[in-house]
Structure formats: C-alpha cells, structure tokens
Amino acid sequence: MYAKTNPSAGRLSPRQKRAFAIIGVLVVLIFAGLGIWSALASDSYSSSGHGCVNVTVPSSTGGATVHYCGAQARSFCQTSFQKQDQLSLRARPQCVLAGLAPSASASASG
C-alpha cells in the first residue's frame, strides 16, 4: 500500500544496484575460492609416506584414522610386524609405504 502512494519506494537507485552487484560478485568469488582450495589442497592424513604412517581402521562410528610420525611411527611399525592382530595387519602395507618396514637382515636374524 505504501508503494502505491510513493511509487519510487520499491525501486533501487543505480548506486544501490551497483553495491548489491559488487557484494554478490564478492560472495560468489569467496565461495568459488573455497571450493577450489578444498578440492586441490593436500591432505596430511591422505596417505603414508616420508616417515609418517596413516591407517584407517573400523570403529564404532564408522572409521578412525591412526596417524604417527617419526619415532612413534617407527615404534608402531616395529610392533605391527611382530603382532598378528587386525590393526597390525592393516598397518603393515602403510609401514612399507612410509619406508618403515623391517629390513630383510633384521627379519632373517630375528
């Protein structure tokens, strides 16, 4: 009803239109940038390597990731090659990828 008595009340000025357009473009650019970043960013828990071990194990909530680096990874891998439990069996290929498998001479003497 107010628009009928004041015809220009529902219209935006050119300056307001330009401001809304700039804000809209900025929002689209931000979301596009976040999408590109999330698609291309590396995931530190994605694979084992460079002395770090990542093992995905079944869990009550679907799955859990076990992540170790450095001395903890060496100890974890050493233990996984000595045991026969489910976690150890899943960890062995990841330990090999990380370069933490026992050497052939160590396994032959032990």
Side-chain angles (χ1 to χ4, degrees), residues 5-106:
T5 59
N6 190 356
S8 64
R11 297 187 182 155
L12 297 175
S13 69
R15 183 177 179 167
Q16 290 173 323
K17 289 179 185 179
R18 191 174 25 247
F20 279 121
I22 291 171
I23 291 170
V25 167
L26 287 175
V27 168
V28 168
L29 287 175
I30 288 171
F31 280 117
L34 286 172
I36 291 170
W37 174 76
S38 65
L40 300 178
S42 64
D43 182 10
S44 61
Y45 289 118
S46 63
S47 64
S48 299
H50 307 291
C52 291
V53 179
N54 298 310
V55 182
T56 304
V57 294
S59 174
S60 60
T61 58
T65 301
V66 177
H67 175 77
Y68 296 112
C69 282
Q72 287 181 324
R74 285 189 293 278
S75 174
F76 174 74
C77 288
Q78 185 179 29
T79 304
S80 72
F81 280 98
Q82 294 171 353
K83 293 184 176 180
Q84 295 297 322
D85 62 292
Q86 190 74 304
L87 177 59
S88 296
L89 295 175
R90 290 179 186 271
R92 290 177 188 171
Q94 300 304 316
C95 290
V96 171
L97 286 174
L100 299 174
S103 63
S105 61

